[in-house]
């Protein structure tokens, strides 16, 4: 600002008035100051101005690299934050970079609130974090932690998938577990409950896995190896998420198994990748945009009213039927 003032031949205070669009400068002076600022490439530092007032108006978002559903959530976070007058800063957890490091980076940049996407955090850590910044957890509900949560009704989504497969005639339905991934424990419990409800308890099989393509590939290879030893293939696979579903589909196809004629494959999330597959993935849709909007609103509302009690938004999932599912072999 001092450089602009010197070149424009005015005081620094007058430059400040022009940049804040306050009365006190003639139109000619305003035009001269803005022209000089443009010539020397000066831009007002809005972040510094907000910090001087004790606010950053920045929401930090912790996400996991390679989780496609997190990308869908982030696309929904930006417009809602902008609508409410907030900037967004991203920090990724990845191989060699823990969630804690990703969150600390956000706090180091003076984010007023932290939105955690698919975090594996425990109650103690979340309660500690909320003492330092407003905290919202998306996709993973942690019992007893006093922060705001946004997630889908996992049990309802799994029940829809199992009901649909059973209605098609499937009985041998296996579930690939998501390990410690967000929603995995609830999806695992819901799978068992849904199978029992249909009288299919003897058919229950949960295969350990993760929310990755590699986990799906390894499960597909396991099923193919069992087939080669004379064991029957399941007629349907409910994967922990879309990435895992894609992996098992690829492995089965390479092994000569036709999807869905021989084996139906169902994912979870309805991430954007599910639309890019050759025949389209049958999956349980989580509304990423609505989840993102709730997360941003929860964060902003708590910044404005810290005394609010912890809140929870539970959104209804919806089964989306595409080309990877159909009746079991031999069904009428």
């Amino acid at each position: 600002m001092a450089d602009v003032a010197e070149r424009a031949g005015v005081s620094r205070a007058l430059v400040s008035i022009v940049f804040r669009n306050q009365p006190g400068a003639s139109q000619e002076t305003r035009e001269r100051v803005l022209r000089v600022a443009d010539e020397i490439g000066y831009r007002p530092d809005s972040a510094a101005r907000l910090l001087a007032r004790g606010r950053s108006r920045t929401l930090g978002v912790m996400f996991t690299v390679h989780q496609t559903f997190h990308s869908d959530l982030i696309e929904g976070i930006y417009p809602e934050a902008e609508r409410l007058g907030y900037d967004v800063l991203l920090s990724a957890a990845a191989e060699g970079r823990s969630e804690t490091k990703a969150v600390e980076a956000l706090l180091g940049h003076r984010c007023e609130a932290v939105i955690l996407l698919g975090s594996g955090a425990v109650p103690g850590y979340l309660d500690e974090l909320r003492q330092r910044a407003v905290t919202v957890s998306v996709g993973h509900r942690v019992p007893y932690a006093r922060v705001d949560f946004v997630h889908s009704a996992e049990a309802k989504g799994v029940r829809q998938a199992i009901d649909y497969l059973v209605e098609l005639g499937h009985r041998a339905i296996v579930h690939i577990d998501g390990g410690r991934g967000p929603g995995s424990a609830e999806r695992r419990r819901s799978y068992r409950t849904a199978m029992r409800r249909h009288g299919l308890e003897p058919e229950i099989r949960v295969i350990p896995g993760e929310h990755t393509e590699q986990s799906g590939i390894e499960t597909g290879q396991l099923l193919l190896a069992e087939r080669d030893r004379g064991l029957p293939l399941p007629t349907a696979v409910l994967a922990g998420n879309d990435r895992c579903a894609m992996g098992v589909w690829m492995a089965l196809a390479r092994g000569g198994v036709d999807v869905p004629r021989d084996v139906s494959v169902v994912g979870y999330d309805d991430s954007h990748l599910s639309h890019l597959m050759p025949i389209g993935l049958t999956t349980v849709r989580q509304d990423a945009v609505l989840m993102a909007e709730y997360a941003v609103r929860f964060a902003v509302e708590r910044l404005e009213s810290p005394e609010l009690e912890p809140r929870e938004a539970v959104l209804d999932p919806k089964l989306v039927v595409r080309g990877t599912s159909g009746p079991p072999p031999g069904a009428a």
Side-chain angles (χ1 to χ4, degrees), residues 120-185:
V122 297
Y125 174 73
L126 288 179
D127 284 331
E128 177 189 342
L129 181 58
R130 73 180 177 88
Q131 302 295 329
R132 304 170 65 190
V134 167
T135 304
V136 181
S137 176
V138 180
H140 184 210
R141 183 184 181 278
V142 182
Y144 310 114
R146 291 184 60 79
V147 301
D148 294 326
F149 293 104
V150 180
H151 61 95
S152 70
E154 309 284 355
K156 185 177 292 187
V158 171
R159 185 168 63 248
Q160 289 178 23
I162 297 299
D163 288 352
Y164 162 71
L165 290 171
V166 171
E167 185 178 346
L168 287 176
H170 292 276
R171 293 182 56 84
I173 307 167
V174 303
H175 175 53
I176 307 175
D177 185 27
R180 298 181 61 186
S184 296

Side-chain angles (χ1 to χ4, degrees), residues 210-232:
E210 296 178 346
H211 285 171
T212 64
E213 292 88 352
Q214 185 59 35
S215 175
I217 290 171
E218 291 172 358
T219 300
Q221 292 171 340
L222 169 67
L223 297 175
L224 291 171
E226 291 176 349
R227 178 199 63 180
D228 293 342
R229 295 198 303 270
L231 298 175

Side-chain angles (χ1 to χ4, degrees), residues 14-95:
L14 197 55
V15 172
S16 177
I17 286 173
V18 171
F19 284 140
R20 288 186 288 115
N21 199 29
Q22 297 295 313
S26 67
Q27 185 62 31
E28 180 185 354
T29 300
R30 289 181 184 278
E31 292 175 357
R32 183 165 75 253
V33 167
L34 293 174
R35 184 175 64 252
V36 169
D38 187 59
E39 289 172 355
I40 68 174
Y42 174 79
R43 294 292 182 275
D45 190 337
S46 58
R49 190 161 62 240
L50 287 168
L51 286 173
R53 300 175 189 168
R55 294 288 305 273
S56 70
R57 294 192 73 85
T58 301
L59 307 178
V61 178
M62 189 286 297
F63 68 103
T64 303
V65 172
H66 302 313
Q67 284 296 352
T68 53
F69 188 64
H70 290 186
S71 301
D72 297 342
L73 288 167
I74 290 168
E75 285 189 8
I77 286 172
Y78 271 110
E80 184 66 7
E82 183 177 347
R83 185 182 72 83
L84 296 174
Y86 282 77
D87 288 329
V88 175
L89 186 64
L90 304 179
S91 185
E95 188 72 29

Side-chain angles (χ1 to χ4, degrees), residues 51 56 58 89 104-111:
L51 286 173
S56 70
T58 301
L89 186 64
E104 288 300 322
L106 296 172
L107 297 177
H109 283 85
R110 301 286 298 274
C111 292

Side-chain angles (χ1 to χ4, degrees), residues 245-258:
M246 290 176 66
V248 73
W249 181 13
M250 288 188 293
L252 292 175
R254 290 169 185 163
V257 176
D258 184 274

